[in-house]
Amino acid sequence: MVNEIYELGDQPPIGSVPRLMHAQTIRQDRYGEPSVAIQHEIVPVPEIGPDEVLVYVMASSVNYNNIWAALGTPVDIVAQHQRANPDIDYHIGGSDASGIVYAVGSDVAWPKVGDRVVVHSGWWNVDDPYILSGGDPMCAPSARVWGYDINWGGFAQYCKVQSHMCMPMADHLSWEQAAVSTLDGATAYRMLLGWPPHTVLENDVVLVWGGAGGLGCYAIQIVKNMGGIPIAVVSDEDRGEYCMKLGALGYINRKNYTHWGVMPDWKDDEAYPVWLKGARDFGRAIWDILGDRRSPRIVFEHPGEATMPTSVFVCDTAGMVVICAGTTGYNAVSDLRYLWTRQKRIQGSHCANDEQAVAFNDMVIAGQIEPCIGGVFSFDETAKAHQMMYEGVSPPGKMAILVNAV
Ligand code: NAP
Protein backbone atom coordinates (compact mmCIF):
# COMPACT_ATOMS: atom_id res chain seq x y z
CA MET A 1 0.00 0.00 0.00
CA VAL A 2 1.53 3.31 -1.13
CA ASN A 3 0.93 6.47 0.89
CA GLU A 4 -0.56 9.54 -0.79
CA ILE A 5 2.64 11.45 0.08
CA TYR A 6 5.88 10.78 1.99
CA GLU A 7 7.87 13.21 4.08
CA LEU A 8 11.33 14.19 2.85
CA GLY A 9 13.70 11.33 3.55
CA ASP A 10 10.90 8.87 4.44
CA GLN A 11 11.76 6.68 1.46
CA PRO A 12 8.90 4.65 -0.06
CA PRO A 13 9.70 1.08 -1.14
CA ILE A 14 11.78 1.17 -4.35
CA GLY A 15 9.40 1.42 -7.29
CA SER A 16 6.39 2.61 -5.24
CA VAL A 17 5.34 6.06 -6.43
CA PRO A 18 2.96 8.23 -4.36
CA ARG A 19 0.45 10.64 -5.93
CA LEU A 20 1.85 13.82 -4.36
CA MET A 21 5.30 15.23 -3.57
CA HIS A 22 7.09 18.12 -1.89
CA ALA A 23 8.54 20.59 -4.41
CA GLN A 24 10.15 24.05 -4.57
CA THR A 25 8.03 25.84 -7.13
CA ILE A 26 8.01 29.18 -8.97
CA ARG A 27 4.73 30.81 -10.04
CA GLN A 28 4.10 33.84 -12.25
CA ASP A 29 2.37 35.88 -9.52
CA ARG A 30 5.52 35.84 -7.40
CA TYR A 31 8.19 36.37 -10.08
CA GLY A 32 11.00 38.40 -8.54
CA GLU A 33 13.94 37.83 -6.21
CA PRO A 34 14.51 34.13 -5.43
CA SER A 35 13.75 34.60 -1.70
CA VAL A 36 10.13 35.38 -2.65
CA ALA A 37 9.69 33.53 -5.94
CA ILE A 38 10.82 30.05 -4.83
CA GLN A 39 8.41 28.39 -2.37
CA HIS A 40 7.71 24.98 -0.87
CA GLU A 41 4.45 23.43 -2.14
CA ILE A 42 2.86 20.03 -2.49
CA VAL A 43 2.14 19.12 -6.10
CA PRO A 44 1.30 15.92 -8.04
CA VAL A 45 4.15 13.58 -8.97
CA PRO A 46 4.54 13.88 -12.76
CA GLU A 47 3.53 11.02 -15.07
CA ILE A 48 6.19 9.65 -17.38
CA GLY A 49 6.04 8.81 -21.09
CA PRO A 50 7.49 5.76 -22.91
CA ASP A 51 11.06 7.12 -23.07
CA GLU A 52 11.05 8.82 -19.68
CA VAL A 53 12.37 8.02 -16.22
CA LEU A 54 11.10 9.06 -12.79
CA VAL A 55 13.99 9.65 -10.37
CA TYR A 56 13.57 9.80 -6.58
CA VAL A 57 15.79 12.84 -5.98
CA MET A 58 18.33 12.64 -3.16
CA ALA A 59 20.12 15.92 -3.87
CA SER A 60 20.24 18.74 -6.40
CA SER A 61 22.28 21.89 -6.85
CA VAL A 62 21.90 25.63 -7.32
CA ASN A 63 22.43 26.97 -10.83
CA TYR A 64 21.92 30.45 -12.16
CA ASN A 65 19.16 29.37 -14.52
CA ASN A 66 16.70 29.04 -11.62
CA ILE A 67 17.40 32.68 -10.79
CA TRP A 68 16.38 33.62 -14.34
CA ALA A 69 13.29 31.43 -13.85
CA ALA A 70 12.49 33.16 -10.52
CA LEU A 71 12.88 36.63 -12.01
CA GLY A 72 10.62 35.73 -14.94
CA THR A 73 13.16 37.24 -17.31
CA PRO A 74 14.61 37.00 -19.95
CA VAL A 75 11.98 34.26 -20.45
CA ASP A 76 8.60 33.84 -18.74
CA ILE A 77 9.31 30.20 -18.08
CA VAL A 78 5.86 29.27 -16.75
CA ALA A 79 4.25 30.73 -19.90
CA GLN A 80 6.69 28.64 -21.91
CA HIS A 81 5.65 25.47 -20.05
CA GLN A 82 1.99 26.33 -20.58
CA ARG A 83 2.41 26.36 -24.34
CA ALA A 84 3.16 22.63 -24.03
CA ASN A 85 0.73 21.94 -21.16
CA PRO A 86 -1.84 24.68 -20.33
CA ASP A 87 -2.80 22.94 -17.07
CA ILE A 88 0.61 23.45 -15.42
CA ASP A 89 0.95 26.88 -13.81
CA TYR A 90 4.23 26.41 -11.93
CA HIS A 91 7.89 25.68 -12.62
CA ILE A 92 10.08 23.22 -10.72
CA GLY A 93 13.70 24.16 -11.36
CA GLY A 94 16.88 22.22 -10.68
CA SER A 95 19.13 21.20 -13.59
CA ASP A 96 21.15 18.71 -11.53
CA ALA A 97 20.08 15.64 -9.60
CA SER A 98 21.43 12.53 -7.96
CA GLY A 99 18.93 9.86 -6.98
CA ILE A 100 17.34 6.45 -7.41
CA VAL A 101 15.27 5.36 -10.40
CA TYR A 102 11.66 4.67 -9.28
CA ALA A 103 9.86 4.17 -12.60
CA VAL A 104 10.79 3.81 -16.28
CA GLY A 105 8.69 4.12 -19.45
CA SER A 106 7.90 1.16 -21.70
CA ASP A 107 10.70 1.98 -24.22
CA VAL A 108 13.50 2.44 -21.69
CA ALA A 109 16.34 -0.11 -21.90
CA TRP A 110 18.55 1.64 -19.29
CA PRO A 111 18.45 2.66 -16.45
CA LYS A 112 16.45 0.15 -14.41
CA VAL A 113 14.29 0.73 -11.33
CA GLY A 114 16.63 0.85 -8.31
CA ASP A 115 19.70 2.21 -10.19
CA ARG A 116 21.62 5.11 -8.61
CA VAL A 117 22.00 7.81 -11.24
CA VAL A 118 22.99 11.40 -11.90
CA VAL A 119 21.13 13.40 -14.51
CA HIS A 120 22.46 15.72 -17.20
CA SER A 121 20.25 18.49 -18.45
CA GLY A 122 20.47 18.23 -22.25
CA TRP A 123 16.89 17.52 -23.42
CA TRP A 124 15.73 16.97 -27.03
CA ASN A 125 13.23 15.02 -29.11
CA VAL A 126 14.94 11.75 -29.91
CA ASP A 127 13.13 11.65 -33.27
CA ASP A 128 14.15 15.21 -34.20
CA PRO A 129 15.06 14.99 -37.95
CA TYR A 130 18.17 17.13 -37.32
CA ILE A 131 19.44 14.53 -34.83
CA LEU A 132 18.40 11.55 -36.93
CA SER A 133 20.44 12.99 -39.82
CA GLY A 134 23.54 13.07 -37.59
CA GLY A 135 23.41 16.62 -36.17
CA ASP A 136 24.64 17.51 -32.68
CA PRO A 137 21.54 17.11 -30.46
CA MET A 138 22.30 20.36 -28.57
CA CYS A 139 22.09 22.25 -31.89
CA ALA A 140 18.77 20.60 -32.85
CA PRO A 141 15.60 22.74 -33.05
CA SER A 142 14.10 20.66 -30.23
CA ALA A 143 17.10 21.07 -27.84
CA ARG A 144 16.19 22.42 -24.40
CA VAL A 145 17.71 22.61 -20.90
CA TRP A 146 15.94 20.38 -18.38
CA GLY A 147 15.11 22.12 -15.09
CA TYR A 148 14.75 25.41 -16.97
CA ASP A 149 13.10 25.18 -20.41
CA ILE A 150 11.71 21.81 -19.36
CA ASN A 151 9.71 21.39 -16.15
CA TRP A 152 9.97 18.80 -13.36
CA GLY A 153 13.56 19.53 -12.33
CA GLY A 154 15.56 18.41 -9.31
CA PHE A 155 14.03 20.64 -6.61
CA ALA A 156 11.29 18.11 -5.82
CA GLN A 157 11.03 14.62 -4.39
CA TYR A 158 10.71 13.18 -7.90
CA CYS A 159 12.02 14.54 -11.18
CA LYS A 160 11.05 13.53 -14.70
CA VAL A 161 13.83 13.06 -17.27
CA GLN A 162 14.51 11.41 -20.63
CA SER A 163 16.33 8.09 -20.33
CA HIS A 164 19.41 9.31 -22.28
CA MET A 165 19.95 11.99 -19.60
CA CYS A 166 20.65 9.39 -16.90
CA MET A 167 24.25 8.43 -16.18
CA PRO A 168 25.80 6.11 -13.58
CA MET A 169 26.58 7.79 -10.27
CA ALA A 170 30.20 7.68 -9.02
CA ASP A 171 30.42 5.15 -6.16
CA HIS A 172 32.88 7.22 -4.13
CA LEU A 173 30.63 10.29 -3.85
CA SER A 174 27.88 11.16 -1.39
CA TRP A 175 24.47 12.13 -2.80
CA GLU A 176 25.24 15.83 -2.50
CA GLN A 177 28.74 15.49 -3.96
CA ALA A 178 27.29 13.57 -6.90
CA ALA A 179 24.53 16.12 -7.46
CA VAL A 180 26.50 19.32 -7.89
CA SER A 181 28.74 19.00 -10.91
CA THR A 182 26.78 17.78 -13.92
CA LEU A 183 25.24 20.94 -15.44
CA ASP A 184 28.22 23.22 -14.93
CA GLY A 185 30.81 20.48 -15.52
CA ALA A 186 29.30 19.15 -18.73
CA THR A 187 28.79 22.72 -20.00
CA ALA A 188 32.43 23.53 -19.24
CA TYR A 189 33.49 20.28 -20.97
CA ARG A 190 31.65 21.23 -24.18
CA MET A 191 33.10 24.76 -24.07
CA LEU A 192 36.66 23.51 -23.65
CA LEU A 193 36.63 20.34 -25.75
CA GLY A 194 33.61 20.59 -28.04
CA TRP A 195 34.73 23.19 -30.59
CA PRO A 196 37.70 21.86 -32.62
CA PRO A 197 40.31 22.90 -33.48
CA HIS A 198 40.02 24.99 -30.30
CA THR A 199 40.12 22.12 -27.85
CA VAL A 200 42.46 22.38 -24.87
CA LEU A 201 45.87 21.03 -25.83
CA GLU A 202 49.01 20.40 -23.77
CA ASN A 203 50.48 23.72 -22.57
CA ASP A 204 47.56 25.85 -23.82
CA VAL A 205 46.88 28.94 -21.72
CA VAL A 206 43.18 29.19 -20.81
CA LEU A 207 41.72 32.26 -19.08
CA VAL A 208 38.79 31.23 -16.83
CA TRP A 209 36.40 34.00 -15.77
CA GLY A 210 34.72 33.37 -12.41
CA GLY A 211 37.27 30.66 -11.58
CA ALA A 212 35.79 30.15 -8.09
CA GLY A 213 32.22 29.90 -9.42
CA GLY A 214 30.30 26.85 -10.58
CA LEU A 215 31.44 26.77 -14.19
CA GLY A 216 34.90 28.04 -13.35
CA CYS A 217 35.80 25.46 -10.70
CA TYR A 218 35.20 22.63 -13.20
CA ALA A 219 36.79 24.52 -16.10
CA ILE A 220 40.04 24.88 -14.13
CA GLN A 221 40.07 21.15 -13.38
CA ILE A 222 39.26 20.10 -16.96
CA VAL A 223 42.01 22.35 -18.36
CA LYS A 224 44.49 20.99 -15.83
CA ASN A 225 43.53 17.38 -16.65
CA MET A 226 44.12 18.08 -20.36
CA GLY A 227 47.61 19.44 -19.67
CA GLY A 228 46.64 23.07 -20.21
CA ILE A 229 47.47 26.08 -18.04
CA PRO A 230 44.40 27.59 -16.36
CA ILE A 231 44.56 31.20 -15.19
CA ALA A 232 41.56 32.30 -13.11
CA VAL A 233 39.81 35.66 -12.71
CA VAL A 234 38.21 36.27 -9.31
CA SER A 235 36.93 39.07 -7.09
CA ASP A 236 39.06 38.53 -3.99
CA GLU A 237 42.23 36.87 -2.79
CA ASP A 238 40.50 33.98 -0.95
CA ARG A 239 38.66 33.03 -4.13
CA GLY A 240 41.97 33.23 -5.97
CA GLU A 241 43.64 30.85 -3.50
CA TYR A 242 40.69 28.47 -3.95
CA CYS A 243 41.41 28.43 -7.70
CA MET A 244 45.11 27.76 -7.10
CA LYS A 245 44.19 24.70 -5.01
CA LEU A 246 42.11 23.43 -7.95
CA GLY A 247 45.10 23.75 -10.28
CA ALA A 248 45.17 27.34 -11.57
CA LEU A 249 48.68 28.62 -12.25
CA GLY A 250 47.64 32.02 -10.93
CA TYR A 251 44.75 34.41 -10.63
CA ILE A 252 43.83 38.01 -11.41
CA ASN A 253 41.66 40.01 -9.02
CA ARG A 254 39.20 41.83 -11.30
CA LYS A 255 38.57 44.43 -8.59
CA ASN A 256 41.99 45.89 -9.40
CA TYR A 257 40.65 47.10 -12.78
CA THR A 258 37.87 49.51 -13.69
CA HIS A 259 37.45 49.27 -17.47
CA TRP A 260 34.48 46.87 -17.33
CA GLY A 261 31.20 47.08 -19.19
CA VAL A 262 30.33 48.22 -22.67
CA MET A 263 33.48 49.77 -24.14
CA PRO A 264 33.50 53.43 -25.19
CA ASP A 265 33.20 54.50 -28.80
CA TRP A 266 36.51 54.07 -30.65
CA LYS A 267 36.08 57.69 -31.87
CA ASP A 268 36.02 59.00 -28.29
CA ASP A 269 39.56 60.38 -27.89
CA GLU A 270 39.30 60.66 -24.13
CA ALA A 271 37.46 57.54 -23.00
CA TYR A 272 38.80 55.00 -25.52
CA PRO A 273 42.50 55.30 -24.50
CA VAL A 274 41.47 54.81 -20.85
CA TRP A 275 39.62 51.63 -21.77
CA LEU A 276 42.53 50.41 -23.88
CA LYS A 277 44.97 50.98 -21.02
CA GLY A 278 42.72 48.94 -18.69
CA ALA A 279 42.54 46.08 -21.19
CA ARG A 280 46.31 46.19 -21.80
CA ASP A 281 47.08 46.21 -18.07
CA PHE A 282 44.79 43.19 -17.61
CA GLY A 283 46.55 41.38 -20.47
CA ARG A 284 49.91 42.16 -18.92
CA ALA A 285 48.74 40.54 -15.66
CA ILE A 286 48.30 37.27 -17.61
CA TRP A 287 51.87 37.55 -18.93
CA ASP A 288 53.14 38.27 -15.43
CA ILE A 289 51.56 35.06 -14.12
CA LEU A 290 53.04 33.06 -16.99
CA GLY A 291 56.44 34.78 -16.88
CA ASP A 292 56.11 34.82 -20.67
CA ARG A 293 54.37 37.08 -23.24
CA ARG A 294 51.81 34.41 -24.18
CA SER A 295 48.11 35.11 -24.47
CA PRO A 296 45.24 32.68 -23.80
CA ARG A 297 44.43 30.36 -26.73
CA ILE A 298 41.01 29.90 -25.13
CA VAL A 299 39.07 32.45 -23.09
CA PHE A 300 36.30 30.81 -21.03
CA GLU A 301 33.51 33.44 -20.95
CA HIS A 302 30.16 33.75 -19.21
CA PRO A 303 29.93 37.19 -17.47
CA GLY A 304 29.26 38.70 -20.93
CA GLU A 305 28.67 42.45 -21.12
CA ALA A 306 31.11 43.37 -18.33
CA THR A 307 34.04 41.37 -19.67
CA MET A 308 33.57 40.49 -23.35
CA PRO A 309 35.50 43.48 -24.79
CA THR A 310 38.51 42.48 -22.66
CA SER A 311 38.11 38.79 -23.50
CA VAL A 312 38.29 39.50 -27.24
CA PHE A 313 41.23 41.85 -26.72
CA VAL A 314 43.40 39.47 -24.64
CA CYS A 315 42.63 36.29 -26.61
CA ASP A 316 45.64 35.06 -28.59
CA THR A 317 45.92 35.38 -32.37
CA ALA A 318 43.86 32.52 -33.91
CA GLY A 319 42.42 31.75 -30.45
CA MET A 320 38.80 31.38 -29.32
CA VAL A 321 36.53 33.19 -26.88
CA VAL A 322 33.89 30.60 -25.96
CA ILE A 323 30.80 31.93 -24.18
CA CYS A 324 27.77 30.25 -22.61
CA ALA A 325 26.04 33.15 -20.81
CA GLY A 326 25.71 36.89 -20.33
CA THR A 327 25.22 37.09 -16.57
CA THR A 328 26.07 40.82 -16.45
CA GLY A 329 24.21 41.71 -19.67
CA TYR A 330 23.98 40.90 -23.35
CA ASN A 331 25.40 43.97 -25.04
CA ALA A 332 28.86 42.57 -25.73
CA VAL A 333 30.61 45.06 -27.96
CA SER A 334 34.22 44.45 -29.05
CA ASP A 335 36.84 46.39 -30.94
CA LEU A 336 36.61 44.33 -34.12
CA ARG A 337 40.05 45.36 -35.33
CA TYR A 338 41.54 42.94 -32.79
CA LEU A 339 39.16 40.21 -33.89
CA TRP A 340 39.72 40.12 -37.63
CA THR A 341 43.36 41.15 -37.97
CA ARG A 342 44.35 38.57 -35.33
CA GLN A 343 41.82 36.06 -36.71
CA LYS A 344 40.13 35.22 -33.42
CA ARG A 345 36.92 33.24 -33.04
CA ILE A 346 33.89 33.95 -30.86
CA GLN A 347 31.98 30.73 -30.21
CA GLY A 348 28.62 30.36 -28.47
CA SER A 349 28.13 27.17 -26.47
CA HIS A 350 25.11 25.80 -24.62
CA CYS A 351 24.77 22.89 -22.19
CA ALA A 352 26.14 19.56 -23.49
CA ASN A 353 25.21 16.55 -25.61
CA ASP A 354 25.19 12.96 -24.27
CA GLU A 355 28.74 12.25 -25.40
CA GLN A 356 30.13 15.32 -23.62
CA ALA A 357 28.08 14.81 -20.45
CA VAL A 358 29.19 11.17 -20.27
CA ALA A 359 32.84 12.14 -20.89
CA PHE A 360 32.67 14.62 -18.01
CA ASN A 361 30.89 12.07 -15.79
CA ASP A 362 33.65 9.55 -16.61
CA MET A 363 36.18 12.08 -15.28
CA VAL A 364 34.10 12.39 -12.10
CA ILE A 365 33.89 8.59 -11.74
CA ALA A 366 37.67 8.35 -12.29
CA GLY A 367 38.22 10.80 -9.41
CA GLN A 368 39.74 13.45 -11.70
CA ILE A 369 37.20 16.09 -10.70
CA GLU A 370 36.76 17.44 -7.16
CA PRO A 371 33.02 18.15 -6.65
CA CYS A 372 33.80 21.56 -5.11
CA ILE A 373 30.93 21.78 -2.63
CA GLY A 374 30.97 25.25 -1.10
CA GLY A 375 27.82 24.78 0.99
CA VAL A 376 25.09 22.24 1.72
CA PHE A 377 21.54 23.51 2.22
CA SER A 378 18.33 21.87 3.39
CA PHE A 379 15.30 21.58 1.09
CA ASP A 380 13.66 24.57 2.76
CA GLU A 381 16.79 26.65 2.23
CA THR A 382 16.47 26.33 -1.57
CA ALA A 383 15.25 29.93 -1.94
CA LYS A 384 17.93 31.22 0.46
CA ALA A 385 20.75 29.54 -1.49
CA HIS A 386 19.46 31.01 -4.77
CA GLN A 387 19.17 34.44 -3.15
CA MET A 388 22.84 34.19 -2.10
CA MET A 389 23.84 33.44 -5.69
CA TYR A 390 21.64 36.29 -6.94
CA GLU A 391 23.34 38.71 -4.52
CA GLY A 392 26.81 37.46 -5.50
CA VAL A 393 27.61 36.24 -1.97
CA SER A 394 27.69 32.50 -2.58
CA PRO A 395 30.70 30.57 -1.25
CA PRO A 396 33.36 29.40 -3.73
CA GLY A 397 32.31 26.27 -5.65
CA LYS A 398 28.80 24.83 -5.78
CA MET A 399 25.83 24.90 -3.40
CA ALA A 400 24.11 21.53 -2.89
CA ILE A 401 20.45 21.15 -1.89
CA LEU A 402 19.47 18.08 0.11
CA VAL A 403 16.12 16.81 -1.12
CA ASN A 404 15.33 13.30 0.14
CA ALA A 405 18.88 12.90 1.50
CA VAL A 406 17.90 14.87 4.59
P1 NAP B 1 28.30 31.25 -10.34
O1 NAP B 1 28.59 30.02 -9.57
O2 NAP B 1 27.50 32.33 -9.74
O3 NAP B 1 29.70 31.82 -10.83
C1 NAP B 1 29.80 32.95 -11.66
C2 NAP B 1 31.06 33.71 -11.30
O4 NAP B 1 31.16 34.86 -12.13
C3 NAP B 1 31.06 34.23 -9.87
O5 NAP B 1 31.63 33.28 -9.02
C4 NAP B 1 31.86 35.51 -9.96
O6 NAP B 1 33.17 35.24 -9.49
C5 NAP B 1 31.93 35.83 -11.44
N1 NAP B 1 31.38 37.15 -11.69
C6 NAP B 1 30.29 37.73 -11.12
N2 NAP B 1 30.14 38.98 -11.57
C7 NAP B 1 31.15 39.22 -12.44
C8 NAP B 1 31.55 40.34 -13.20
N3 NAP B 1 30.86 41.49 -13.17
N4 NAP B 1 32.65 40.22 -13.98
C9 NAP B 1 33.35 39.07 -14.00
N5 NAP B 1 33.03 37.97 -13.29
C10 NAP B 1 31.94 38.04 -12.52
O7 NAP B 1 27.55 30.88 -11.71
P2 NAP B 1 27.91 29.72 -12.76
O8 NAP B 1 27.20 28.48 -12.38
O9 NAP B 1 29.37 29.66 -12.98
O10 NAP B 1 27.18 30.28 -14.06
C11 NAP B 1 27.64 31.47 -14.67
C12 NAP B 1 26.69 31.83 -15.81
O11 NAP B 1 26.69 30.78 -16.77
C13 NAP B 1 25.22 31.99 -15.39
O12 NAP B 1 24.65 33.06 -16.12
C14 NAP B 1 24.57 30.68 -15.79
O13 NAP B 1 23.20 30.79 -16.06
C15 NAP B 1 25.36 30.37 -17.04
N6 NAP B 1 25.38 28.94 -17.42
C16 NAP B 1 25.03 28.64 -18.71
C17 NAP B 1 25.01 27.33 -19.09
C18 NAP B 1 24.61 26.98 -20.50
O14 NAP B 1 24.42 25.81 -20.79
N7 NAP B 1 24.47 27.93 -21.39
C19 NAP B 1 25.33 26.30 -18.18
C20 NAP B 1 25.74 26.66 -16.90
C21 NAP B 1 25.76 28.00 -16.51
P3 NAP B 1 34.10 36.41 -8.87
O15 NAP B 1 33.19 37.35 -8.14
O16 NAP B 1 35.05 35.69 -7.98
O17 NAP B 1 34.77 37.05 -10.07
Side-chain angles (χ1 to χ4, degrees):
M1 161 88 178
V2 185
N3 295 353
E4 175 97 330
I5 185 166
Y6 289 79
E7 289 313 305
L8 292 156
D10 177 14
Q11 188 176 345
I14 300 258
S16 297
V17 178
R19 193 176 71 80
L20 299 172
M21 65 178 182
H22 294 273
Q24 297 288 342
T25 62
I26 293 170
R27 290 182 180 271
Q28 284 170 311
D29 61 4
R30 42 175 208 260
Y31 276 162
E33 296 204 0
S35 58
V36 174
I38 301 171
Q39 289 189 19
H40 186 161
E41 282 190 60
I42 290 172
V43 296
V45 175
E47 289 177 8
I48 55 169
D51 183 39
E52 291 178 325
V53 172
L54 191 72
V55 177
Y56 179 73
V57 180
M58 300 304 280
S60 184
S61 100
V62 179
N63 288 294
Y64 220 97
N65 61 11
N66 210 40
I67 294 174
W68 305 126
L71 294 171
T73 181
V75 176
D76 178 344
I77 214 71
V78 174
Q80 182 171 302
H81 296 334
Q82 285 181 321
R83 284 195 281 278
N85 185 345
D87 295 337
I88 300 299
D89 56 358
Y90 54 85
H91 169 69
I92 301 175
S95 294
D96 281 308
S98 64
I100 302 169
V101 173
Y102 260 59
V104 298
S106 52
D107 293 350
V108 175
W110 190 90
K112 305 249 180 280
V113 169
D115 285 348
R116 291 154 65 104
V117 293
V118 290
V119 175
H120 81 73
S121 55
W123 187 104
W124 47 78
N125 286 335
V126 281
D127 50 3
D128 187 320
Y130 181 90
I131 299 170
L132 294 178
S133 67
D136 178 347
M138 262 325 290
C139 295
S142 64
R144 302 283 185 275
V145 175
W146 166 75
Y148 181 63
D149 301 305
I150 298 294
N151 214 343
W152 315 114
F155 298 135
Q157 284 182 294
Y158 294 86
C159 68
K160 178 167 94 158
V161 302
Q162 296 172 319
S163 59
H164 71 90
M165 294 160 57
C166 296
M167 304 183 293
M169 175 178 147
D171 289 335
H172 67 285
L173 298 182
S174 65
W175 292 114
E176 57 270 31
Q177 287 172 328
V180 290
S181 66
T182 312
L183 173 71
D184 276 343
T187 300
Y189 188 97
R190 179 179 176 89
M191 291 171 76
L192 294 165
L193 295 161
W195 303 105
H198 293 94
T199 52
V200 183
L201 302 173
E202 187 84 23
N203 214 26
D204 272 351
V205 178
V206 180
L207 183 74
V208 179
W209 288 101
L215 284 168
C217 67
Y218 303 122
I220 289 171
Q221 297 184 75
I222 293 167
V223 171
K224 191 72 183 165
N225 269 287
M226 297 299 152
I229 305 171
I231 294 179
V233 187
V234 292
S235 55
D236 68 37
E237 308 302 312
D238 287 348
R239 294 172 78 80
E241 292 306 318
Y242 182 85
C243 296
M244 302 281 284
K245 287 199 188 101
L246 292 176
L249 177 69
Y251 63 89
I252 303 172
N253 185 341
R254 64 183 169 88
K255 299 285 183 190
N256 293 337
Y257 303 83
T258 55
H259 65 291
W260 308 119
V262 175
M263 55 180 288
D265 194 310
W266 56 275
K267 295 187 284 294
D268 185 331
D269 291 338
E270 276 184 26
Y272 184 83
V274 174
W275 177 83
L276 188 61
K277 180 175 183 320
R280 284 201 169 123
D281 287 349
F282 184 85
R284 206 167 297 114
I286 300 173
W287 295 347
D288 288 346
I289 289 169
L290 287 164
D292 192 0
R293 289 167 71 96
R294 287 176 66 205
S295 297
R297 179 163 175 265
I298 299 177
V299 178
F300 184 90
E301 247 290 350
H302 48 89
E305 186 168 299
T307 53
M308 196 64 178
T310 303
S311 292
V312 171
F313 181 81
V314 300
C315 180
D316 200 6
T317 299
M320 171 177 75
V321 178
V322 60
I323 180 159
C324 74
T327 319
T328 63
Y330 315 120
N331 209 1
V333 179
S334 302
D335 186 331
L336 291 176
R337 291 170 291 188
Y338 295 98
L339 187 80
W340 91 72
T341 61
R342 310 260 164 96
Q343 301 177 82
K344 306 177 187 186
R345 167 182 180 185
I346 297 176
Q347 177 65 56
S349 194
H350 195 39
C351 203
N353 60 31
D354 284 342
E355 201 184 322
Q356 291 155 346
V358 167
F360 177 75
N361 194 47
D362 285 348
M363 293 177 81
V364 174
I365 290 172
Q368 294 168 332
I369 301 287
E370 153 70 28
C372 291
I373 291 198
V376 180
F377 296 80
S378 71
F379 190 65
D380 278 327
E381 291 175 321
T382 304
K384 175 185 165 188
H386 283 83
Q387 185 71 21
M388 288 170 69
M389 181 181 261
Y390 175 65
E391 291 174 8
V393 294
S394 38
K398 293 284 302 183
M399 292 185 280
I401 303 290
L402 298 176
V403 182
N404 284 302
V406 286

